[in-house]
Coordinates of all heavy atoms in Angstrom, one line a residue:
M8 N -8.6 -37.6 -85.7 CA -7.5 -36.9 -85.2 C -7.0 -37.1 -83.9 O -7.8 -37.2 -82.9 CB -8.0 -35.4 -85.3 CG -7.0 -34.4 -85.3 SD -7.9 -32.9 -85.5 CE -6.8 -31.9 -86.4
N9 N -5.7 -37.5 -83.9 CA -5.1 -37.9 -82.6 C -4.5 -36.6 -81.9 O -3.8 -35.8 -82.5 CB -3.9 -38.7 -82.7 CG -4.4 -40.1 -83.2 OD1 -5.5 -40.4 -83.0 ND2 -3.5 -41.0 -83.7
N10 N -4.9 -36.5 -80.7 CA -4.5 -35.4 -80.0 C -3.6 -35.8 -78.9 O -4.0 -36.5 -77.9 CB -5.7 -34.6 -79.4 CG -5.5 -33.2 -79.0 OD1 -4.4 -32.8 -79.0 ND2 -6.5 -32.5 -78.4
F11 N -2.3 -35.5 -79.1 CA -1.3 -36.0 -78.2 C -1.0 -34.8 -77.2 O -0.4 -33.8 -77.6 CB 0.0 -36.4 -78.9 CG -0.2 -37.6 -79.7 CD1 -0.3 -37.5 -81.1 CD2 -0.2 -38.8 -79.1 CE1 -0.5 -38.6 -81.9 CE2 -0.5 -39.9 -80.0 CZ -0.5 -39.8 -81.3
T12 N -1.3 -34.9 -76.1 CA -1.0 -34.0 -75.0 C -0.1 -34.7 -74.0 O -0.3 -35.8 -73.6 CB -2.1 -33.4 -74.4 OG1 -2.9 -34.5 -73.7 CG2 -2.9 -32.6 -75.3
T13 N 0.9 -34.1 -73.6 CA 1.8 -34.5 -72.6 C 1.6 -33.9 -71.3 O 1.6 -32.6 -71.2 CB 3.3 -34.4 -73.1 OG1 3.5 -34.9 -74.4 CG2 4.2 -35.0 -72.1
K14 N 1.4 -34.6 -70.3 CA 1.2 -34.1 -69.0 C 2.5 -34.1 -68.2 O 3.1 -35.1 -68.1 CB 0.0 -34.7 -68.2 CG -1.3 -34.5 -68.8 CD -2.4 -35.0 -68.0 CE -3.6 -34.6 -68.4 NZ -4.8 -35.1 -67.6
V15 N 2.9 -32.9 -67.8 CA 4.1 -33.0 -66.9 C 3.6 -32.7 -65.5 O 3.0 -31.7 -65.2 CB 5.0 -31.9 -67.3 CG1 6.3 -31.6 -66.4 CG2 5.5 -31.9 -68.8
P16 N 4.0 -33.8 -64.7 CA 3.5 -33.5 -63.3 C 4.3 -32.4 -62.6 O 5.4 -32.3 -62.6 CB 3.8 -34.9 -62.6 CG 4.9 -35.4 -63.5 CD 4.6 -34.9 -64.8
F17 N 3.5 -31.5 -62.0 CA 4.0 -30.4 -61.2 C 4.2 -30.7 -59.9 O 3.3 -31.1 -59.1 CB 3.2 -29.1 -61.5 CG 3.7 -27.9 -60.8 CD1 4.8 -27.1 -61.2 CD2 3.1 -27.5 -59.6 CE1 5.2 -26.0 -60.6 CE2 3.6 -26.4 -58.9 CZ 4.7 -25.7 -59.4
S18 N 5.3 -30.4 -59.4 CA 5.6 -30.8 -57.9 C 6.0 -29.5 -57.3 O 7.0 -28.9 -57.6 CB 6.8 -31.8 -57.8 OG 7.1 -31.9 -56.5
G19 N 5.3 -29.2 -56.3 CA 5.7 -28.0 -55.4 C 7.0 -28.1 -54.8 O 7.7 -27.1 -54.7
R20 N 7.4 -29.3 -54.4 CA 8.7 -29.5 -53.8 C 9.8 -29.2 -54.8 O 10.9 -28.7 -54.6 CB 8.9 -30.9 -53.3 CG 8.0 -31.1 -52.1 CD 8.2 -32.6 -51.5 NE 7.2 -32.8 -50.4 CZ 6.9 -34.0 -50.0 NH1 7.6 -35.0 -50.5 NH2 6.2 -34.1 -49.0
M21 N 9.6 -29.7 -56.0 CA 10.6 -29.5 -57.1 C 10.7 -28.1 -57.4 O 11.9 -27.6 -57.7 CB 10.3 -30.2 -58.4 CG 10.4 -31.8 -58.2 SD 12.1 -32.3 -57.9 CE 12.9 -31.9 -59.5
A22 N 9.7 -27.2 -57.4 CA 9.7 -25.8 -57.7 C 10.3 -25.1 -56.6 O 11.2 -24.3 -56.8 CB 8.2 -25.3 -57.9
L23 N 10.1 -25.4 -55.3 CA 10.8 -24.9 -54.2 C 12.4 -25.2 -54.2 O 13.1 -24.3 -54.0 CB 10.2 -25.4 -52.8 CG 10.8 -24.8 -51.6 CD1 10.5 -23.3 -51.6 CD2 10.1 -25.5 -50.4
L24 N 12.7 -26.4 -54.6 CA 14.1 -26.8 -54.8 C 14.8 -25.9 -55.8 O 15.9 -25.5 -55.7 CB 14.2 -28.3 -55.0 CG 15.6 -28.8 -55.1 CD1 16.4 -28.5 -53.8 CD2 15.7 -30.2 -55.5
A25 N 14.1 -25.8 -56.9 CA 14.6 -25.0 -58.1 C 14.8 -23.7 -57.7 O 15.8 -22.9 -58.0 CB 13.6 -25.1 -59.2
I26 N 13.9 -23.0 -56.9 CA 14.0 -21.6 -56.5 C 15.2 -21.4 -55.4 O 16.0 -20.5 -55.6 CB 12.7 -21.1 -55.8 CG1 11.6 -21.0 -56.8 CG2 12.9 -19.9 -55.0 CD1 10.2 -20.8 -56.3
I27 N 15.3 -22.4 -54.5 CA 16.4 -22.4 -53.6 C 17.8 -22.5 -54.3 O 18.7 -21.7 -54.1 CB 16.2 -23.4 -52.6 CG1 15.1 -23.1 -51.6 CG2 17.5 -23.6 -51.7 CD1 14.7 -24.2 -50.7
L28 N 17.9 -23.4 -55.3 CA 19.1 -23.6 -56.1 C 19.4 -22.3 -56.9 O 20.6 -21.9 -56.9 CB 19.0 -24.7 -56.9 CG 19.0 -26.1 -56.2 CD1 18.9 -27.3 -57.3 CD2 20.3 -26.3 -55.5
S29 N 18.3 -21.7 -57.5 CA 18.6 -20.5 -58.2 C 19.0 -19.3 -57.3 O 20.0 -18.5 -57.7 CB 17.4 -20.1 -58.9 OG 16.9 -20.9 -59.8
A30 N 18.5 -19.3 -56.1 CA 18.9 -18.3 -55.2 C 20.3 -18.4 -54.8 O 21.2 -17.4 -54.6 CB 18.0 -18.3 -54.0
F31 N 20.8 -19.7 -54.4 CA 22.1 -19.9 -54.0 C 23.1 -19.5 -55.2 O 24.2 -19.0 -54.9 CB 22.4 -21.3 -53.5 CG 21.9 -21.6 -52.2 CD1 21.1 -22.7 -51.9 CD2 22.4 -20.9 -51.1 CE1 20.6 -23.0 -50.6 CE2 21.9 -21.2 -49.9 CZ 21.1 -22.3 -49.5
A32 N 22.7 -19.8 -56.4 CA 23.5 -19.5 -57.5 C 23.7 -18.0 -57.6 O 24.7 -17.5 -57.9 CB 23.1 -20.1 -58.8
F33 N 22.6 -17.3 -57.5 CA 22.6 -15.9 -57.6 C 23.5 -15.2 -56.4 O 24.2 -14.4 -56.6 CB 21.2 -15.2 -57.5 CG 21.1 -13.8 -57.6 CD1 21.3 -13.2 -58.8 CD2 20.9 -13.0 -56.5 CE1 21.3 -11.7 -58.9 CE2 20.8 -11.6 -56.6 CZ 21.0 -11.0 -57.8
V34 N 23.2 -15.7 -55.2 CA 24.0 -15.2 -54.1 C 25.6 -15.5 -54.3 O 26.4 -14.7 -54.0 CB 23.5 -15.7 -52.7 CG1 24.4 -15.4 -51.7 CG2 22.1 -15.2 -52.5
G35 N 25.8 -16.7 -54.8 CA 27.2 -17.1 -55.0 C 27.9 -16.2 -56.0 O 29.1 -15.8 -55.8
Q36 N 27.2 -15.7 -57.1 CA 27.8 -14.8 -58.0 C 27.9 -13.5 -57.4 O 28.8 -12.8 -57.7 CB 26.8 -14.9 -59.3 CG 27.0 -16.1 -60.1 CD 28.3 -16.3 -60.7 OE1 29.0 -15.3 -61.1 NE2 28.8 -17.5 -60.7
A37 N 26.9 -13.0 -56.6 CA 27.0 -11.7 -56.0 C 28.3 -11.6 -55.0 O 28.8 -10.5 -55.0 CB 25.7 -11.4 -55.3
N38 N 28.5 -12.7 -54.4 CA 29.8 -12.7 -53.5 C 31.0 -13.1 -54.2 O 32.1 -13.1 -53.6 CB 29.5 -13.5 -52.4 CG 28.3 -13.1 -51.5 OD1 28.2 -11.9 -51.2 ND2 27.6 -14.0 -50.9
A39 N 31.0 -13.4 -55.5 CA 32.2 -13.8 -56.2 C 33.3 -12.8 -56.2 O 34.5 -13.1 -56.3 CB 31.9 -14.2 -57.5
N40 N 33.0 -11.5 -56.1 CA 34.0 -10.5 -56.1 C 34.5 -10.1 -54.8 O 35.5 -9.2 -54.7 CB 33.4 -9.2 -56.9 CG 33.1 -9.6 -58.3 OD1 33.8 -10.3 -59.0 ND2 32.2 -8.9 -58.9
E41 N 34.0 -10.6 -53.8 CA 34.7 -10.3 -52.3 C 35.8 -11.2 -52.2 O 35.9 -12.4 -52.5 CB 33.5 -10.6 -51.4 CG 32.3 -9.7 -51.5 CD 31.2 -10.0 -50.5 OE1 31.6 -10.6 -49.4 OE2 30.1 -9.6 -50.7
F42 N 36.8 -10.6 -51.5 CA 38.1 -11.2 -51.2 C 38.1 -11.6 -49.7 O 37.6 -10.7 -48.9 CB 39.2 -10.4 -51.6 CG 39.3 -10.0 -53.1 CD1 39.1 -8.8 -53.6 CD2 39.6 -11.0 -54.0 CE1 39.2 -8.5 -55.0 CE2 39.7 -10.9 -55.3 CZ 39.5 -9.6 -55.8
S43 N 38.9 -12.6 -49.5 CA 39.2 -13.0 -48.0 C 40.2 -12.1 -47.6 O 40.9 -11.4 -48.3 CB 39.6 -14.5 -48.0 OG 40.9 -14.6 -48.6
P44 N 40.3 -12.1 -46.2 CA 41.3 -11.2 -45.6 C 42.7 -11.6 -46.1 O 43.6 -10.7 -46.3 CB 41.2 -11.5 -44.1 CG 39.7 -11.9 -44.0 CD 39.4 -12.6 -45.1
K45 N 42.9 -12.8 -46.3 CA 44.3 -13.3 -46.8 C 44.5 -12.7 -48.2 O 45.6 -12.2 -48.6 CB 44.4 -14.7 -46.8 CG 45.7 -15.3 -47.1 CD 45.7 -16.8 -46.9 CE 47.1 -17.4 -47.3 NZ 47.2 -18.9 -47.1
E46 N 43.5 -12.8 -49.0 CA 43.5 -12.2 -50.4 C 43.8 -10.8 -50.4 O 44.5 -10.2 -51.2 CB 42.4 -12.6 -51.2 CG 42.2 -14.1 -51.5 CD 40.9 -14.6 -52.0 OE1 39.9 -14.0 -51.8 OE2 40.9 -15.6 -52.7
K47 N 43.0 -10.0 -49.5 CA 43.1 -8.7 -49.4 C 44.5 -8.2 -49.1 O 45.1 -7.3 -49.5 CB 42.1 -8.0 -48.4 CG 40.7 -8.1 -49.0 CD 39.7 -7.6 -48.0 CE 38.3 -7.7 -48.5 NZ 37.4 -7.1 -47.5
A48 N 45.1 -9.0 -48.1 CA 46.5 -8.8 -47.7 C 47.5 -8.9 -48.9 O 48.4 -8.1 -48.9 CB 46.8 -9.6 -46.5
A49 N 47.3 -10.0 -49.6 CA 48.2 -10.2 -50.8 C 48.0 -9.1 -51.8 O 49.1 -8.7 -52.3 CB 47.8 -11.5 -51.3
I50 N 46.8 -8.7 -52.0 CA 46.6 -7.5 -53.0 C 47.3 -6.3 -52.4 O 47.9 -5.6 -53.2 CB 45.1 -7.4 -53.2 CG1 44.6 -8.5 -53.9 CG2 44.8 -6.0 -54.0 CD1 43.1 -8.6 -54.0
A51 N 47.1 -6.0 -51.2 CA 47.8 -4.8 -50.5 C 49.3 -5.0 -50.7 O 50.0 -3.9 -51.0 CB 47.3 -4.7 -49.1
K52 N 49.8 -6.0 -50.5 CA 51.3 -6.3 -50.6 C 51.7 -6.0 -52.0 O 52.8 -5.3 -52.2 CB 51.7 -7.6 -50.1 CG 53.1 -7.9 -50.2 CD 54.0 -7.1 -49.2 CE 55.4 -7.5 -49.3 NZ 56.2 -6.5 -48.4
H53 N 51.1 -6.5 -53.0 CA 51.3 -6.3 -54.4 C 51.3 -4.8 -54.7 O 52.1 -4.3 -55.5 CB 50.4 -7.1 -55.3 CG 50.8 -8.6 -55.3 ND1 52.0 -9.0 -55.9 CD2 50.2 -9.7 -54.7 CE1 52.0 -10.4 -55.8 NE2 50.9 -10.8 -55.1
H54 N 50.2 -4.1 -54.2 CA 50.1 -2.7 -54.5 C 51.3 -1.9 -53.9 O 51.9 -1.1 -54.5 CB 48.9 -2.1 -53.8 CG 47.6 -2.4 -54.8 ND1 47.1 -1.5 -55.4 CD2 47.0 -3.6 -55.0 CE1 45.9 -2.0 -56.1 NE2 46.0 -3.3 -55.8
Q55 N 51.7 -2.3 -52.7 CA 52.9 -1.8 -52.1 C 54.2 -2.0 -53.0 O 55.0 -1.0 -53.1 CB 53.2 -2.4 -50.7 CG 54.3 -1.8 -49.9 CD 54.5 -2.4 -48.6 OE1 53.8 -3.2 -48.2 NE2 55.6 -2.0 -47.9
I56 N 54.3 -3.3 -53.4 CA 55.6 -3.6 -54.2 C 55.6 -2.7 -55.4 O 56.5 -2.1 -55.9 CB 55.5 -5.0 -54.4 CG1 55.9 -5.7 -53.3 CG2 56.6 -5.3 -55.6 CD1 55.7 -7.3 -53.5
I57 N 54.3 -2.6 -56.1 CA 54.2 -1.7 -57.3 C 54.6 -0.3 -57.0 O 55.3 0.4 -57.8 CB 52.7 -1.9 -57.9 CG1 52.6 -3.3 -58.6 CG2 52.5 -0.8 -58.9 CD1 51.2 -3.6 -58.8
E58 N 54.0 0.3 -55.9 CA 54.3 1.7 -55.5 C 55.8 1.9 -55.3 O 56.4 2.9 -55.7 CB 53.5 2.0 -54.3 CG 52.0 2.2 -54.4 CD 51.7 3.4 -55.4 OE1 52.4 4.3 -55.4 OE2 50.7 3.1 -56.2
E59 N 56.5 0.9 -54.6 CA 57.9 1.0 -54.4 C 58.7 1.0 -55.8 O 59.6 1.7 -55.9 CB 58.3 -0.1 -53.5 CG 58.0 0.0 -52.1 CD 58.3 -1.3 -51.3 OE1 58.8 -2.2 -51.8 OE2 57.8 -1.2 -50.1
Q60 N 58.2 0.1 -56.6 CA 58.9 0.0 -58.0 C 58.7 1.3 -58.8 O 59.8 1.8 -59.4 CB 58.4 -1.2 -58.7 CG 58.9 -2.5 -58.3 CD 60.4 -2.7 -58.5 OE1 60.9 -2.3 -59.5 NE2 61.0 -3.3 -57.5
L61 N 57.6 1.9 -58.7 CA 57.3 3.1 -59.4 C 58.1 4.2 -58.9 O 58.7 5.0 -59.5 CB 55.8 3.5 -59.3 CG 54.8 2.7 -60.2 CD1 53.4 3.0 -59.9 CD2 55.2 2.8 -61.7
A62 N 58.2 4.3 -57.5 CA 59.0 5.3 -56.8 C 60.6 5.2 -57.3 O 61.2 6.2 -57.6 CB 58.9 5.2 -55.4
E63 N 61.1 3.9 -57.2 CA 62.4 3.7 -57.7 C 62.7 4.0 -59.1 O 63.7 4.7 -59.5 CB 62.8 2.2 -57.5 CG 63.0 1.8 -56.1 CD 63.3 0.3 -55.9 OE1 63.7 -0.4 -56.9 OE2 63.0 -0.2 -54.8
N64 N 61.7 3.7 -60.0 CA 61.8 4.0 -61.4 C 61.7 5.6 -61.5 O 62.5 6.1 -62.5 CB 60.7 3.4 -62.2 CG 60.9 1.8 -62.3 OD1 62.0 1.4 -62.1 ND2 59.9 1.1 -62.7
D65 N 60.8 6.3 -60.9 CA 60.7 7.6 -61.0 C 62.1 8.4 -60.6 O 62.6 9.3 -61.2 CB 59.7 8.3 -60.2 CG 58.3 8.0 -60.8 OD1 58.2 7.6 -62.0 OD2 57.3 8.0 -60.0
H66 N 62.6 7.8 -59.5 CA 63.9 8.4 -59.0 C 65.1 8.2 -59.9 O 65.8 9.1 -60.1 CB 64.3 7.8 -57.6 CG 65.6 8.2 -57.0 ND1 65.7 9.6 -56.6 CD2 66.8 7.6 -56.8 CE1 67.0 9.8 -56.1 NE2 67.5 8.6 -56.3
A67 N 65.0 7.0 -60.6 CA 66.1 6.7 -61.5 C 66.0 7.6 -62.7 O 67.0 8.1 -63.2 CB 66.1 5.2 -61.9
L68 N 64.8 7.7 -63.3 CA 64.6 8.6 -64.4 C 64.9 10.0 -64.0 O 65.5 10.7 -64.9 CB 63.1 8.4 -64.9 CG 62.7 9.3 -66.0 CD1 63.4 9.0 -67.2 CD2 61.1 9.2 -66.3
E69 N 64.5 10.5 -62.9 CA 64.8 11.9 -62.5 C 66.3 12.0 -62.3 O 66.8 13.1 -62.9 CB 64.2 12.1 -61.1 CG 64.3 13.6 -60.7 CD 63.6 13.8 -59.3 OE1 62.4 13.5 -59.2 OE2 64.3 14.2 -58.4
S70 N 67.1 11.1 -61.9 CA 68.5 11.2 -61.8 C 69.2 11.2 -63.2 O 70.1 12.0 -63.4 CB 69.1 10.0 -61.0 OG 68.7 10.1 -59.7
T71 N 68.7 10.4 -64.1 CA 69.2 10.3 -65.4 C 68.9 11.6 -66.2 O 69.8 12.2 -66.7 CB 68.5 9.2 -66.1 OG1 68.8 8.0 -65.6 CG2 69.1 9.0 -67.6
L72 N 67.7 12.1 -66.0 CA 67.4 13.4 -66.7 C 68.2 14.6 -66.1 O 68.6 15.4 -66.7 CB 65.9 13.7 -66.5 CG 65.0 12.9 -67.4 CD1 63.5 13.2 -67.0 CD2 65.2 12.9 -68.8
Q73 N 68.4 14.6 -64.8 CA 69.2 15.6 -64.1 C 70.6 15.5 -64.7 O 71.2 16.6 -64.9 CB 69.2 15.5 -62.6 CG 69.9 16.6 -61.9 CD 69.2 18.0 -62.1 OE1 67.9 18.1 -62.1 NE2 69.9 19.0 -62.5
S74 N 71.2 14.3 -64.8 CA 72.6 14.3 -65.2 C 72.8 14.7 -66.6 O 73.8 15.4 -67.1 CB 73.1 12.7 -65.1 OG 73.1 12.2 -63.8
E75 N 71.7 14.3 -67.5 CA 71.8 14.8 -68.9 C 71.6 16.3 -69.0 O 72.3 16.9 -69.7 CB 70.7 14.1 -69.6 CG 70.9 12.6 -69.9 CD 69.7 11.9 -70.7 OE1 68.7 12.6 -71.0 OE2 69.9 10.7 -70.8
F76 N 70.8 16.9 -68.1 CA 70.7 18.3 -68.2 C 71.9 19.0 -67.7 O 72.4 20.0 -68.3 CB 69.4 18.7 -67.2 CG 69.2 20.2 -67.1 CD1 68.7 20.9 -68.1 CD2 69.5 20.8 -65.9 CE1 68.5 22.3 -68.0 CE2 69.4 22.2 -65.8 CZ 68.9 22.9 -66.8
D77 N 72.6 18.5 -66.7 CA 73.7 19.1 -66.1 C 74.8 19.1 -67.2 O 75.6 20.1 -67.3 CB 74.2 18.3 -64.9 CG 73.3 18.6 -63.7 OD1 72.6 19.5 -63.7 OD2 73.4 17.8 -62.7
A78 N 74.9 18.0 -67.9 CA 76.0 17.7 -69.0 C 75.6 18.9 -70.1 O 76.5 19.5 -70.6 CB 75.9 16.4 -69.5
Q79 N 74.4 19.0 -70.5 CA 74.0 20.0 -71.5 C 74.3 21.4 -71.0 O 74.8 22.1 -71.9 CB 72.5 19.8 -71.8 CG 72.2 18.6 -72.6 CD 70.7 18.4 -72.8 OE1 69.9 19.2 -72.3 NE2 70.4 17.3 -73.6
V80 N 74.1 21.7 -69.7 CA 74.3 23.0 -69.3 C 75.9 23.3 -69.3 O 76.3 24.3 -69.8 CB 73.8 23.2 -67.8 CG1 74.4 24.5 -67.2 CG2 72.2 23.2 -67.8
E81 N 76.6 22.2 -68.9 CA 78.1 22.5 -68.9 C 78.6 22.6 -70.3 O 79.5 23.5 -70.5 CB 78.8 21.2 -68.2 CG 80.3 21.3 -68.1 CD 80.9 20.2 -67.4 OE1 80.2 19.5 -66.6 OE2 82.0 19.9 -67.7
D82 N 78.0 21.9 -71.2 CA 78.5 22.1 -72.7 C 78.1 23.5 -73.2 O 78.8 24.1 -73.9 CB 77.8 21.0 -73.5 CG 78.3 19.6 -73.3 OD1 79.5 19.5 -72.6 OD2 77.8 18.6 -73.8
S83 N 76.9 23.9 -72.8 CA 76.4 25.3 -73.3 C 77.3 26.3 -72.6 O 77.6 27.4 -73.3 CB 75.0 25.5 -72.8 OG 74.2 24.5 -73.6
E84 N 77.7 26.2 -71.4 CA 78.6 27.1 -70.7 C 79.8 27.2 -71.4 O 80.5 28.2 -71.6 CB 78.6 26.8 -69.2 CG 77.5 27.0 -68.4 CD 77.7 26.6 -67.0 OE1 78.6 25.8 -66.6 OE2 76.9 27.1 -66.1
Q85 N 80.5 26.0 -71.7 CA 81.8 26.0 -72.4 C 81.6 26.7 -73.8 O 82.5 27.4 -74.1 CB 82.2 24.5 -72.6 CG 82.5 23.7 -71.2 CD 83.9 24.1 -70.7 OE1 84.7 24.6 -71.4 NE2 84.0 23.9 -69.4
E86 N 80.6 26.4 -74.5 CA 80.4 26.9 -75.8 C 80.3 28.4 -75.7 O 80.9 29.2 -76.4 CB 79.2 26.3 -76.5 CG 79.0 26.8 -78.0 CD 77.8 26.1 -78.6 OE1 77.3 25.1 -78.1 OE2 77.2 26.7 -79.6
F87 N 79.5 29.0 -74.7 CA 79.3 30.4 -74.5 C 80.6 31.0 -74.3 O 80.9 32.1 -74.7 CB 78.2 30.6 -73.4 CG 78.2 32.1 -73.0 CD1 77.5 32.9 -73.9 CD2 78.8 32.5 -71.9 CE1 77.4 34.2 -73.5 CE2 78.6 33.9 -71.5 CZ 78.0 34.8 -72.4
M88 N 81.4 30.6 -73.3 CA 82.6 31.0 -72.9 C 83.7 31.2 -74.1 O 84.4 32.1 -74.2 CB 83.3 30.3 -71.7 CG 82.6 30.6 -70.4 SD 82.5 32.3 -69.9 CE 84.2 32.6 -69.7
Q89 N 83.6 30.0 -74.9 CA 84.5 30.0 -76.1 C 84.1 31.1 -77.0 O 85.0 31.8 -77.4 CB 84.3 28.6 -76.8 CG 85.1 28.5 -78.0 CD 86.5 28.3 -77.9 OE1 87.0 27.6 -76.8 NE2 87.4 28.8 -78.6
L90 N 82.8 31.3 -77.3 CA 82.5 32.5 -78.2 C 82.7 33.8 -77.5 O 83.1 34.7 -78.2 CB 80.9 32.3 -78.5 CG 80.4 31.1 -79.3 CD1 78.9 30.9 -79.4 CD2 81.1 31.2 -80.7
A91 N 82.5 33.9 -76.3 CA 82.8 35.1 -75.5 C 84.2 35.6 -75.6 O 84.5 36.7 -75.9 CB 82.3 35.2 -74.1
C92 N 85.1 34.6 -75.4 CA 86.5 34.8 -75.4 C 87.0 35.2 -76.8 O 87.7 36.2 -77.1 CB 87.2 33.5 -74.9 SG 87.1 33.2 -73.1
T93 N 86.4 34.5 -77.8 CA 86.8 34.7 -79.2 C 86.3 36.1 -79.6 O 87.0 36.8 -80.3 CB 86.2 33.6 -80.1 OG1 86.6 32.4 -79.7 CG2 86.6 33.9 -81.6
A94 N 85.2 36.5 -79.2 CA 84.6 37.9 -79.5 C 85.5 39.0 -78.9 O 85.5 40.0 -79.5 CB 83.2 38.0 -78.9
H95 N 86.2 38.7 -77.9 CA 87.0 39.7 -77.2 C 88.6 39.5 -77.6 O 89.4 40.0 -77.0 CB 86.9 39.7 -75.7 CG 85.5 40.2 -75.3 ND1 84.4 39.4 -75.1 CD2 85.1 41.5 -75.1 CE1 83.5 40.2 -74.8 NE2 83.8 41.5 -74.7
G96 N 88.8 38.8 -78.6 CA 90.1 38.5 -79.1 C 91.0 37.6 -78.0 O 92.2 37.8 -78.1
M97 N 90.3 36.8 -77.3 CA 91.2 36.0 -76.3 C 91.0 34.6 -76.7 O 90.1 34.1 -77.4 CB 90.7 36.3 -74.9 CG 91.0 37.7 -74.4 SD 90.7 37.9 -72.7 CE 89.3 39.0 -72.9
D98 N 91.7 33.7 -76.0 CA 91.6 32.2 -76.1 C 90.9 31.7 -74.8 O 90.9 32.3 -73.8 CB 93.0 31.6 -76.3 CG 93.6 31.9 -77.6 OD1 92.9 32.0 -78.5 OD2 94.9 32.1 -77.6
F99 N 90.3 30.6 -75.0 CA 89.6 29.9 -73.9 C 90.3 28.7 -73.5 O 90.7 27.8 -74.2 CB 88.1 29.6 -74.2 CG 87.3 29.0 -73.2 CD1 86.9 29.7 -72.1 CD2 86.9 27.7 -73.4 CE1 86.3 29.1 -71.1 CE2 86.2 27.0 -72.4 CZ 85.8 27.8 -71.2
D100 N 90.4 28.6 -72.1 CA 91.1 27.3 -71.5 C 89.9 26.4 -71.0 O 89.2 26.8 -70.0 CB 92.0 27.8 -70.4 CG 92.7 26.6 -69.8 OD1 92.8 25.6 -70.4 OD2 93.3 26.7 -68.7
D101 N 89.9 25.3 -71.6 CA 88.8 24.4 -71.1 C 88.9 23.8 -69.8 O 88.0 23.6 -69.1 CB 88.9 23.1 -72.2 CG 88.3 23.5 -73.5 OD1 87.6 24.5 -73.8 OD2 88.7 22.7 -74.6
T102 N 90.3 23.6 -69.3 CA 90.4 23.0 -67.9 C 90.1 24.0 -66.9 O 89.5 23.6 -65.9 CB 91.9 22.6 -67.8 OG1 92.9 23.7 -68.1 CG2 92.2 21.4 -68.8
T103 N 90.4 25.3 -67.0 CA 90.1 26.2 -66.1 C 88.9 27.1 -66.2 O 88.3 27.6 -65.3 CB 91.2 27.2 -65.8 OG1 91.5 28.0 -67.0 CG2 92.6 26.6 -65.5
G104 N 88.4 27.1 -67.5 CA 87.2 27.7 -67.8 C 87.3 29.3 -67.8 O 86.4 30.0 -67.6
V105 N 88.4 29.8 -68.2 CA 88.7 31.2 -68.3 C 89.3 31.6 -69.6 O 89.9 30.8 -70.3 CB 89.7 31.7 -67.1 CG1 89.0 31.4 -65.8 CG2 91.0 31.0 -67.2
C106 N 89.2 32.9 -69.9 CA 89.8 33.5 -71.1 C 91.1 34.0 -70.7 O 91.5 34.4 -69.6 CB 89.0 34.6 -71.6 SG 87.3 34.2 -72.0
F107 N 92.1 33.8 -71.7 CA 93.5 34.4 -71.6 C 94.0 34.9 -72.9 O 93.4 34.6 -73.9 CB 94.3 33.3 -71.0 CG 94.6 32.1 -71.9 CD1 95.7 32.1 -72.7 CD2 93.7 31.0 -72.0 CE1 96.0 31.1 -73.6 CE2 94.0 30.0 -72.8 CZ 95.0 30.0 -73.7
E108 N 95.0 35.7 -72.7 CA 95.5 36.4 -74.0 C 96.7 35.5 -74.6 O 97.4 34.9 -73.9 CB 96.0 37.7 -73.8 CG 94.8 38.7 -73.4 CD 95.3 40.1 -73.2 OE1 95.7 40.7 -74.4 OE2 95.2 40.6 -72.2

């Protein structure tokens, strides 16, 4: 029976080198999420731009909604006055917004 055993020479220096390389790889991954001051400034600038765009969009939406609401209120007032004038036997003038006989 042949007994083949392979001997791998163990080197303390190689083990130490492997540990050091593993440590550097681990530390490199741990620091991978940290940003440089230049990168942090760029991120802050992008956040500022996004905030400004959101504020502009909110203002535009608010203005649009206010305009639509004002138009609906005006239409409702006109309709109410038309009905009120008709109920009292009068006519309604759209230009002046009053009832007349």
Side-chain angles (χ1 to χ4, degrees):
M8 193 177 215
N9 288 343
N10 200 358
F11 295 104
T12 56
T13 306
K14 290 189 174 185
V15 177
F17 179 75
S18 169
R20 290 181 187 167
M21 288 300 285
L23 183 60
L24 180 63
I26 290 172
I27 291 172
L28 289 176
S29 296
F31 280 128
F33 180 75
V34 169
Q36 287 297 320
N38 292 328
N40 292 334
E41 295 179 16
F42 297 110
S43 70
K45 187 176 180 180
E46 291 169 330
K47 288 179 183 178
I50 291 169
K52 181 65 176 173
H53 285 288
H54 280 253
Q55 179 185 0
I56 292 169
I57 290 169
E58 290 295 325
E59 290 171 0
Q60 286 293 322
L61 286 174
E63 288 177 20
N64 290 342
D65 287 346
H66 180 68
L68 178 61
E69 187 176 302
S70 294
T71 300
L72 291 175
Q73 186 64 48
S74 296
E75 289 175 2
F76 177 73
D77 291 343
Q79 289 175 355
V80 168
E81 187 176 331
D82 290 344
S83 295
E84 287 175 346
Q85 294 283 337
E86 184 179 339
F87 172 77
M88 288 302 295
Q89 179 73 36
L90 292 172
C92 291
T93 303
H95 290 91
M97 294 187 250
D98 293 323
F99 178 68
D100 183 18
D101 290 338
T102 58
T103 59
V105 296
C106 298
F107 66 95
E108 292 187 69

